[in-house]
Amino acid sequence: MLYTSLKKSFFSLFIIAGFNSYSQQDLKLQYNQPAVEWTEALPIGNGTLGAMVFGRVDSELIQLNEATLWSGGPVKKNVNPDAFKNLAPIREALRNEDFEKAYDLTKNMQGAYSESFMPLGDLILVQDFGGKKPDLYNRSLDLQTGLAVTNFTVDGIKYKREIFASAPAKCIVIKISADQLKKLSITIDASSLLKNKTAIQNQALVLKGKAPSHADPNYIDYNKEPIVYEDTAGCRGMRFELIIKPVIKDGEISADGNKLVIKNASEILLFVSAATSFNGFDKCPDSQGKDEEKLAESAIKNAASKKYDSLLKEHLKDFQHFFNRVSLKLNEKEADKSNLATDIRLEQYAKGEKDAGLEALFFQFGRYLLISSSRTHNAPANLQGIWNNKLRAPWSSNYTTNINLQMNYWPVESASLSELFFPLDEFIKNASVTGTETAQSYYHANGWVLHHNSDIWATTNPVGDLGKGDPMWANWYMGANWLSRHLWEHYQYTGDTAYLKKVYPIIKGAATFSLDWLQKDKDGYLVTMPSTSPENKYYYDGKKRGTVTTASTMDIGIIKDLFENTIEASKVLNTDLEFRQQLNKAADQLLPFKIGSKGQLQEWYKDFEEEDPHHRHTSHLYALHPANLISPLKTPELAAAAKKTLELRGDDGTGWSLAWKVNMWARLLDGNHAYTLFKNQLRLTKENNTEYSRHGGCYPNLFDAHPPFQIDGNFAGTAGVIEMLMQSQNNEIQLLPALPDAWTDGEIKGITAKGNFTVDIKWNDGKLNQARIVSNNGGVCSLRAAEPFVIEKLNIKSEKSSIGYTAVFETKKGISYVLKPLVIVPD
């Protein structure tokens, strides 16, 4: 498996590089009061089990999730048999520029909505203190250990609750202690929003249930029963089981109905496991499902047989194997605010106070969340990672593939977490199977297609409930193409040609669909029709609003990028010469990018006025980021148009939109503007305080605020920091390409560049001080920096370029190369 082989290679790689010894600025989230809202609770996760820890004193709430717990079952085939007959009339309407007719007909090409990520349940720990109030309260989450801790004192007794989610143990482990013996009396209860039954078995609390066979998205309100459980075929609605097992020192355990009661214990260990019957995207979760009871019980039995210290040691070794690879220090001469509560730091930051430590904390929080939510086969991190407390989560907490799922994985390679790509890798393979059927039944096309919503069942049809959705978002055709970029990038970062050979047919399949999808316009250009620019509208014929059109700039950028990547992949593998030639010919015929009347990159094939000029989506800049078809180095005129587009869009937006703009401004080599957007990402948003309006930013627990919570902003924010400090595109590594003035001094270690180079960078007074490049594969390394530099030992000096200075040299596998500024003595 991809995960296993990469884990072995990366382990040896990072031991060699010595990354486990990196020191970091304080990386704790901490608070002086319990969470009131869910977006104040602290997230832990082992990739499969997730928990939100509220830190309440008398009645602690630990909200639980399991990554594979979704509504529904395998997707049906030929969901909309009448879809294809609308395609030709739509294209005819678009050729006649009858956009209203094209819009109406496009609605006829929709299918079923995707399914929803479900909440597992709540663990409630009631501890009766006789009405006495606590003092010396503190709760925290240490990003370097994955340990959430709640401390408080009641009546002179110090109480402590420690909780972590262990991947090796496949359990959540909770330790409850006090500094006096036999002072722990707790009632343990569990509940779920899903249909369930609870029972006490072998001194454990067991909750068994079944997920809905279908759940409407939260924005659908026309069905009397938005949640449906009936499942006559045994193919929809998976089973699940949650087990909570206490092991105590001193005291006694008894049952009170379906609750466990512990009295007068000196220490309590709670082991929480859960499993579902999910057995793959194409297997009926009931009749063909896994034995969830056996899976949950096995994990409990294994964990409960070990001592706490041993479990913690195993967890730390596993977790820090990933986390400690990368360190970031920013402005260490600045006043250290790590002793302050995180919500207080956010409030001060919102008022303009400097806090580079908070910015570094936010960067590492994104890495922490990815480690905690992307370690389950066939279930990549969804719209909320693995954390969701609602039966009908925002946008079903699904896989939104017109930007959001992709954003989740922007830092997976550059932030040195490459092994954690495997869940998305598997999902893409699954979607290529269902997407092949969708391409055939909907469009009579070859290859595979994916539209804007998907789920654990790899739904690929255009959603919308057979015409009730808006084509503005439902009828978008580029998901397979965009996700194929991730397969190609995984190769670019790892250099694993065996992997590329395995996924090449998937990349080729997306390109094959695009060849079938493209049409010739009246000028002989290849264009897409129908087409949309998610999720914006345009004005035509005065103030008529249009959505469906021909050849949105996003479509053209994505297809051009896909063709280039497929061509390069075929060259690497020395295969498919005829297909490569076909792609080259088609690429030359694609509609070119156009610059509009305002100097902007046009969003549509005509210079239409946007209905919302400040729209959160900047879809037409895909070619700038995540692709690199547009760059200041290669295409300065188009880069200037992209810059104008961003200026017109403005510096506001939802949380994830701000994060995308961070990356885009970094690609334009404008670090100060990227930093402005990054600061906006850290705007405090609260659900229970009107002083902080519901703008995009982050919640007190640093979760990204769309609002509501969407985790993609966290991940893209982390990627954006790396883009400011290092970029690897155009077959080169650029050091400090968009360093903001605000980060005068700093050091980042352990990040990864394409070509499998590990990069450390240190800077002082806004200029490069030193860089270290470790070549993990060998091969040519091309470097670019703003100032002249020299490669030590090799004594290779940089040469002046159109942008900064460059040097190219041959590297040897496993060898590190140190780069230092070159002091030029004036004549």
Side-chain angles (χ1 to χ4, degrees):
M1 297 298 292
L2 168 67
Y3 173 63
T4 305
S5 61
L6 275 174
K7 187 171 183 179
K8 290 177 181 176
S9 63
F10 268 74
F11 182 74
S12 59
L13 184 160
F14 286 109
I15 290 296
I16 292 170
F19 296 155
N20 287 328
S21 63
Y22 286 171
S23 61
Q24 308 242 27
Q25 289 171 296
D26 190 283
L27 294 176
K28 275 189 178 180
L29 283 69
Q30 57 185 357
Y31 306 84
N32 298 325
Q33 68 286 327
V36 176
E37 302 290 343
W38 189 81
T39 48
E40 297 170 357
L42 296 173
I44 62 168
N46 64 8
T48 300
L49 291 177
M52 296 292 287
V53 184
F54 280 67
R56 295 176 182 173
V57 174
D58 299 310
S59 182
E60 170 63 302
L61 171 60
I62 301 170
Q63 187 264 316
L64 302 168
N65 286 100
E66 207 276 355
T68 64
L69 183 54
W70 289 66
S71 62
V75 296
K76 298 176 182 178
K77 295 182 178 180
N78 201 15
V79 178
N80 184 348
D82 294 329
F84 178 70
K85 69 181 184 182
N86 291 277
L87 186 55
I90 291 169
R91 288 173 171 166
E92 182 64 24
L94 289 171
R95 288 189 174 96
N96 296 328
E97 297 195 349
D98 189 343
F99 301 120
E100 186 174 352
K101 182 178 181 181
Y103 176 86
D104 290 338
L105 289 173
T106 301
K107 295 179 76 172
N108 296 335
M109 300 191 73
Q110 295 173 358
Y113 280 113
S114 67
E115 292 298 339
S116 302
F117 180 52
M118 294 280 115
L120 174 62
D122 292 340
L123 169 58
I124 301 141
L125 306 176
V126 177
Q127 199 166 356
D128 187 1
F129 295 107
K132 295 177 180 177
K133 299 298 181 183
D135 52 24
L136 301 177
Y137 179 92
N138 174 266
R139 65 186 174 100
S140 64
L141 172 64
D142 188 336
L143 301 186
Q144 289 183 281
T145 63
L147 193 63
V149 179
T150 303
N151 290 293
F152 56 89
T153 299
V154 177
D155 200 19
I157 301 172
K158 294 180 181 179
Y159 295 91
K160 188 175 187 179
R161 299 177 188 150
E162 302 163 88
I163 176 170
F164 62 91
S166 169
K170 301 179 182 178
C171 277
I172 292 171
V173 182
I174 305 167
K175 179 182 178 182
I176 305 171
S177 58
D179 68 348
Q180 294 183 25
L181 297 177
K182 300 183 179 181
K183 294 296 183 180
L184 300 174
S185 295
I186 294 178
T187 299
I188 303 168
D189 195 8
S191 64
S192 177
L193 295 174
L194 304 177
K195 285 188 176 181
N196 70 92
K197 293 181 180 179
T198 57
I200 305 299
Q201 299 174 6
N202 300 320
Q203 290 193 324
L205 198 164
V206 179
L207 187 152
K208 299 181 180 184
K210 200 169 190 290
S213 63
H214 174 71
D216 280 346
N218 67 309
Y219 49 85
I220 297 301
D221 59 4
Y222 50 75
N223 290 324
K224 291 182 179 179
E225 294 185 40
I227 304 293
V228 179
Y229 280 93
E230 184 181 355
D231 173 38
T232 56
C235 212
R236 300 183 68 81
M238 65 180 67
R239 304 181 305 273
F240 66 91
E241 181 159 330
L242 166 66
I243 304 176
I244 302 153
K245 172 72 174 179
V247 175
I248 66 174
K249 183 185 294 183
D250 301 325
E252 59 184 32
I253 302 176
S254 61
D256 179 8
N258 290 330
K259 299 178 184 179
L260 284 172
V261 179
I262 299 174
K263 291 186 177 179
N264 304 320
S266 297
E267 181 182 278
I268 301 172
L269 294 183
L270 291 178
F271 301 96
V272 181
S273 76
T276 76
S277 63
F278 176 72
N279 195 23
F281 77 103
D282 55 353
K283 299 290 192 301
C284 295
D286 195 343
S287 59
Q288 298 173 289
K290 289 184 178 180
D291 187 339
E292 73 285 357
E293 181 178 333
K294 182 179 180 180
L295 291 170
E297 287 180 352
S298 175
I300 285 286
K301 184 178 180 180
N302 176 64
S305 68
K306 298 181 179 181
K307 293 183 178 180
Y308 178 81
D309 289 347
S310 176
L311 289 163
L312 180 58
K313 185 178 179 180
E314 289 177 357
H315 160 71
L316 291 176
K317 181 180 179 182
D318 170 80
F319 179 82
Q320 292 180 340
H321 165 66
F322 295 105
F323 188 84
N324 285 357
R325 295 172 179 175
V326 173
S327 69
L328 174 66
K329 300 175 184 177
L330 296 171
N331 297 353
E332 287 193 291
K333 297 175 184 177
E334 197 178 275
D336 183 10
K337 296 187 177 183
S338 61
N339 63 319
L340 292 177
T342 305
D343 51 343
I344 300 299
R345 295 176 76 177
L346 285 166
E347 288 178 5
Q348 292 180 354
Y349 191 84
K351 295 174 182 176
E353 294 191 24
K354 294 181 179 179
D355 194 342
L358 179 65
E359 294 165 348
L361 180 70
F362 185 78
F363 165 80
Q364 288 286 28
F365 187 55
R367 295 185 68 249
Y368 167 85
L369 292 174
L370 194 57
I371 296 167
S372 303
S373 64
S374 183
R375 300 178 69 174
T376 302
H377 288 290
N378 302 297
N382 62 52
L383 205 55
Q384 297 186 181
I386 52 169
W387 298 279
N388 166 43
N389 66 333
K390 290 181 168 58
L391 195 58
R392 298 176 70 195
W395 302 285
S396 303
S397 193
N398 66 12
Y399 301 128
T400 305
T401 56
N402 64 9
I403 175 69
N404 312 101
L405 173 61
Q406 291 89 338
M407 291 183 97
N408 284 5
Y409 285 86
W410 283 352
V412 76
E413 306 291 349
S414 61
S416 299
L417 297 172
S418 188
E419 301 99 311
L420 305 185
F421 174 66
F422 80 91
L424 181 60
D425 178 66
E426 292 173 343
F427 169 81
I428 295 171
K429 291 175 183 175
N430 298 342
S432 72
V433 175
T434 58
T436 298
E437 191 282 328
T438 299
Q440 292 170 350
S441 65
Y442 270 76
Y443 311 118
H444 293 190
N446 297 303
W448 70 286
V449 64
L450 170 64
H451 300 81
H452 112 292
N453 271 169
S454 193
D455 51 29
I456 201 169
W457 311 108
T459 292
T460 53
N461 66 240
V463 300
D465 197 10
L466 300 173
K468 298 185 179 71
D470 193 329
M472 178 178 69
W473 42 263
N475 296 86
W476 178 79
Y477 311 89
M478 296 290 116
N481 299 359
W482 190 335
L483 285 173
S484 293
R485 157 165 277 277
H486 287 259
L487 303 178
W488 171 242
E489 281 198 333
H490 185 72
Y491 161 74
Q492 287 183 299
Y493 277 94
T494 63
D496 187 344
T497 51
Y499 169 81
L500 182 63
K501 188 174 182 180
K502 289 179 182 178
V503 300
Y504 176 74
I506 298 175
I507 299 172
K508 179 181 178 180
T512 299
F513 173 81
S514 294
L515 287 173
D516 283 358
W517 185 246
L518 287 166
Q519 304 291 304
K520 278 200 173 182
D521 71 1
K522 58 182 174 57
D523 297 317
Y525 289 116
L526 289 178
V527 297
T528 55
M529 59 169 67
S531 173
T532 61
S533 186
E535 300 170 8
N536 205 359
K537 296 181 179 180
Y538 59 89
Y539 288 119
Y540 70 99
D541 290 350
K543 285 297 179 180
K544 291 182 180 178
R545 290 180 177 88
T547 294
V548 177
T549 182
T550 298
S552 71
T553 301
M554 184 192 213
D555 282 5
I556 299 302
I558 288 177
I559 292 175
K560 185 175 178 62
D561 181 50
L562 172 67
F563 285 179
E564 286 194 3
N565 296 340
T566 310
I567 290 166
E568 288 303 309
S570 74
K571 289 180 181 178
V572 171
L573 298 173
N574 193 25
T575 188
D576 252 352
L577 176 60
E578 186 177 340
F579 187 68
R580 189 191 316 164
Q581 292 171 339
Q582 188 180 0
L583 291 180
N584 270 313
K585 182 179 179 181
D588 290 341
Q589 296 176 332
L590 285 171
L591 185 73
F593 297 130
K594 296 180 181 180
I595 297 174
S597 58
K598 299 175 183 177
Q600 87 286 12
L601 190 70
Q602 283 185 195
E603 187 164 0
W604 290 277
Y605 82 113
K606 285 192 171 183
D607 196 5
F608 292 128
E609 180 186 352
E610 303 105 322
E611 181 194 45
D612 180 3
H614 301 129
H615 198 274
R616 63 192 177 278
H617 282 260
T618 45
S619 303
H620 45 315
L621 297 187
Y622 172 94
L624 173 69
H625 182 278
N628 64 321
L629 301 170
I630 295 175
S631 74
L633 186 68
K634 294 193 305 183
T635 58
E637 186 179 3
L638 288 174
K643 180 180 179 180
K644 185 63 176 180
T645 297
L646 285 173
E647 290 172 345
L648 292 169
R649 274 292 200 262
D651 294 340
D652 209 339
T654 59
W656 68 263
S657 174
L658 296 171
W660 197 1
K661 292 173 186 176
V662 170
N663 287 270
M664 288 179 167
W665 279 111
R667 284 286 175 91
L668 291 171
L669 310 182
D670 190 334
N672 289 333
H673 214 133
Y675 180 69
T676 295
L677 274 298
F678 182 71
K679 284 184 67 178
N680 286 349
Q681 272 202 271
L682 283 162
R683 294 183 301 199
L684 180 59
T685 304
K686 290 187 178 182
E687 295 185 271
N688 54 6
N689 189 330
T690 55
E691 181 182 349
Y692 297 95
S693 60
R694 294 181 62 81
H695 50 55
C698 73
Y699 291 108
N701 66 356
L702 297 188
F703 269 170
D704 172 75
H706 177 89
F709 164 52
Q710 279 190 201
I711 205 167
D712 44 17
N714 291 105
F715 295 137
T718 294
V721 171
I722 296 175
E723 287 285 330
M724 287 190 266
L725 302 179
M726 186 274 292
Q727 292 177 24
S728 59
Q729 51 181 331
N730 304 318
N731 296 314
E732 66 178 23
I733 301 170
Q734 190 168 2
L735 305 173
L736 304 180
L739 180 69
D741 293 340
W743 293 343
T744 54
D745 304 280
E747 184 176 24
I748 191 165
K749 291 184 176 182
I751 54 178
T752 303
K754 291 173 182 175
N756 205 357
F757 296 98
T758 302
V759 181
D760 304 344
I761 310 170
K762 185 176 182 179
W763 67 95
N764 298 109
D765 298 322
K767 292 189 176 181
L768 181 68
N769 174 278
Q770 179 177 301
R772 177 170 168 261
I773 314 294
V774 179
S775 178
N776 301 308
N777 288 356
V780 175
C781 180
S782 178
L783 294 176
R784 182 181 300 272
E787 307 290 336
F789 61 88
V790 60
I791 311 295
E792 291 192 336
K793 295 184 179 178
L794 298 179
N795 199 30
I796 295 175
K797 297 179 181 179
S798 62
E799 297 181 356
K800 186 78 173 69
S801 175
S802 60
I803 297 178
Y805 295 78
T806 63
V808 181
F809 58 102
E810 189 73 32
T811 69
K812 294 182 179 179
K813 182 177 180 179
I815 302 298
S816 64
Y817 300 85
V818 176
L819 174 157
K820 288 202 171 180
L822 182 64
V823 178
I824 300 177
V825 180
D827 295 334

